[in-house]
């Protein structure tokens, strides 16, 4: 594995991001899959397609799967409903949750029990002793796996953090008498061929933002918000952007800096501070409820 694959980077054929612990986790997931009853695949409701790891499809294969759109309190309500409907329309079980609402976690367990009831009934009819359901929790970094498991286990079962790769080892956590969770590290796929997906993953804080040019990512963010969520820009920063104005970007920088009283740097707007401010408010959701992609973006 070369340095680019270890650290992440950009080359002409795409964006590489595949640390060594992710390759190891992929192998361990494959080995454990044979004893798993159901997979709970977490995706971020702010980018439900970009945050869904295509590499997992071959690993999960025919296992029952429940797709859980996390952080619905941070995403566009209508678009989240559309995404749940989309995944159900192509044959998955799907639901959305607010990670701050414990009652919704219980709904996930009940959903899994319902999906697996025919299998468990069949085992019981064959005289097999009742056992706990074994569910594996999968998802890319920072979609909320650790928070999800901690809530269900009602204790600090895993380490949480707002950065990719916090959870490094697989764990088994019993969350109910008849329900066990297999936790895994967040696993990404080796290369992002689609720059749109790479941007969305960066905006979820699921990869290190510095593998993408931050000024380009800032332009993407401001353009997207202007087109689809102009009211959020106006409410948060008092900003209205005219994309037909050739100076719109500089004006946006200056306006946000003045609005938030960011000190000048050598007599000029501190562009890096403005970028950091906006990205910080995207990551923590204070900018408002945003979904970075529509279900119509899905490619066949």
């Amino acid at each position: 594995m070369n340095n680019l694959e270890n650290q992440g980077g950009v080359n002409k054929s795409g964006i590489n991001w595949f640390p060594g612990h992710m390759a190891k986790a992929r192998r361990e997931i494959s080995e454990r899959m044979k004893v798993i009853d159901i997979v709970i695949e977490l995706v971020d409701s702010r980018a439900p397609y970009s945050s869904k790891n295509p590499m997992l499809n071959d690993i999960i294969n025919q296992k029952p799967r429940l797709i859980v759109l996390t952080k619905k309190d941070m995403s566009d309500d209508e678009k989240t409903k559309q995404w749940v409907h989309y995944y159900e329309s192509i044959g998955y079980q799907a639901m959305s949750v607010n990670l701050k609402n414990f009652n919704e976690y219980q709904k996930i367990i009940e959903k899994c029990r319902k999906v697996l009831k025919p299998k468990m009934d069949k085992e019981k009819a064959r005289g097999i002793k009742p056992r706990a359901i074994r569910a594996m929790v999968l998802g890319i970094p920072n979609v909320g796996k650790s928070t999800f498991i901690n809530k269900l286990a009602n204790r600090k079962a895993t380490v949480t953090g707002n950065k990719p790769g916090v959870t490094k080892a697989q764990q088994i956590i019993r969350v109910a008498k008849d329900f066990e969770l297999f936790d895994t590290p967040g696993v990404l796929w080796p290369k992002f061929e689609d720059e749109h997906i790479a941007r969305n993953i960066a905006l979820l804080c699921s990869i290190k933002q510095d593998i993408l040019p931050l000024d380009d990512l800032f332009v993407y963010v401001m353009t997207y918000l202007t087109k689809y969520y102009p009211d959020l820009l106006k409410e948060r920063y008092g900003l209205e952007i005219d994309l037909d104005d050739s100076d719109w970007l500089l004006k946006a920088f200056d306006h946000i800096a003045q609005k938030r009283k960011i000190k000048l740097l050598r007599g000029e707007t501190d562009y890096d501070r403005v970028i950091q401010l906006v990205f910080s408010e995207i990551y923590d959701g204070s900018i408002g409820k945003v979904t970075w992609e529509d279900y119509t973006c899905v490619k066949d």
Side-chain angles (χ1 to χ4, degrees):
M1 181 175 291
N2 61 36
N3 188 58
L4 182 62
E5 291 170 322
N6 272 306
Q7 302 301 324
V10 182
N11 63 22
K12 292 181 180 179
S13 61
I15 298 172
N16 291 276
W17 174 261
F18 206 57
H21 71 268
M22 291 188 184
K24 179 182 178 183
R26 179 182 177 178
R27 290 193 297 271
E28 291 178 349
I29 290 168
S30 297
E31 293 168 1
R32 287 277 182 94
M33 195 58 62
K34 58 187 176 183
V35 299
I36 296 300
D37 297 307
I38 188 169
V39 170
I40 302 173
E41 183 178 4
L42 305 186
V43 299
D44 193 309
S45 61
R46 294 170 293 176
Y49 179 67
S50 295
S51 62
K52 189 176 186 303
N53 188 344
M55 184 184 74
L56 296 178
N57 291 334
D58 290 338
I59 299 175
I60 296 173
N61 202 4
Q62 299 301 314
K63 290 284 183 181
R65 179 172 4 181
L66 172 63
I67 296 180
V68 177
L69 283 70
T70 64
K71 307 185 183 183
K72 74 174 184 180
D73 53 310
M74 301 172 71
S75 63
D76 184 317
D77 293 332
E78 187 57 37
K79 288 189 181 296
T80 298
K81 292 177 184 177
Q82 292 173 356
W83 275 107
V84 170
H85 176 73
Y86 165 75
Y87 279 125
E88 289 177 338
S89 73
I90 60 173
Y92 294 113
Q93 299 288 331
M95 61 190 299
S96 61
V97 296
N98 177 350
L99 295 174
K100 300 170 185 175
N101 187 338
F102 182 74
N103 290 334
E104 296 190 20
Y105 289 80
Q106 298 304 309
K107 292 178 184 178
I108 294 172
I109 293 181
E110 290 304 318
K111 187 85 166 179
C112 290
R113 287 174 177 146
K114 183 177 179 180
V115 171
L116 290 173
K117 189 176 186 305
K119 176 183 178 181
M120 294 305 185
D121 287 347
K122 186 178 293 185
E123 289 186 358
K124 184 178 180 180
R126 292 167 55 195
I128 298 176
K129 185 178 178 180
R131 60 176 177 78
I133 290 171
R134 295 183 292 262
M136 180 176 282
V137 185
L138 295 177
I140 70 172
N142 205 40
V143 293
K145 292 191 312 305
S146 296
T147 301
F148 170 78
I149 289 170
N150 291 342
K151 288 279 189 179
L152 282 179
N154 198 27
R155 60 188 172 87
K156 197 171 181 60
T158 62
V159 178
T160 60
N162 190 31
K163 61 181 180 178
V166 168
T167 307
K168 291 295 200 305
Q170 294 192 23
Q171 305 181 63
I172 303 174
I173 301 107
R174 173 157 289 199
V175 299
K177 184 178 180 180
D178 66 338
F179 203 90
E180 294 177 346
L181 288 176
F182 284 62
D183 180 30
T184 58
V187 182
L188 287 165
W189 53 109
K191 182 188 294 185
F192 304 127
E193 301 287 357
D194 188 332
E195 190 173 357
H196 173 77
I197 289 178
R199 288 183 184 132
N200 288 342
I201 295 297
L203 292 172
L204 303 180
C205 213
S206 294
I207 58 173
K208 293 179 180 179
Q209 289 73 39
D210 56 11
I211 77 165
L212 293 170
L214 289 184
D215 50 351
D216 289 350
L217 189 59
F218 183 81
V219 172
Y220 171 76
V221 164
M222 300 309 287
T223 302
Y224 187 91
L225 293 177
T226 298
K227 289 181 177 179
Y228 300 105
Y229 299 98
D231 291 344
L232 294 185
L233 284 177
K234 187 174 182 179
E235 180 179 346
R236 191 70 186 170
Y237 307 115
L239 180 61
E240 295 182 78
I241 294 176
D242 178 5
L243 294 175
D244 292 327
D245 183 347
S246 60
D247 291 328
W248 73 263
L249 182 59
L250 291 177
K251 290 178 179 178
F253 271 119
D254 293 342
H255 182 92
I256 295 173
Q258 292 169 11
K259 181 76 173 178
R260 292 303 181 84
K261 297 180 172 55
I262 294 176
K263 294 181 180 179
L264 296 177
L265 181 65
R266 292 185 290 275
E268 296 184 351
T269 296
D270 189 339
Y271 301 113
D272 290 340
R273 284 285 307 281
V274 172
I275 289 175
Q276 290 170 7
L277 168 72
V278 172
F279 285 168
S280 175
E281 296 189 348
I282 286 172
Y283 301 149
D284 66 19
S286 58
I287 199 169
K289 303 182 78 168
V290 176
T291 297
W292 297 103
E293 59 193 0
D294 188 89
Y295 74 95
T296 57
C297 76
V298 177
K299 297 179 180 178
D300 295 332

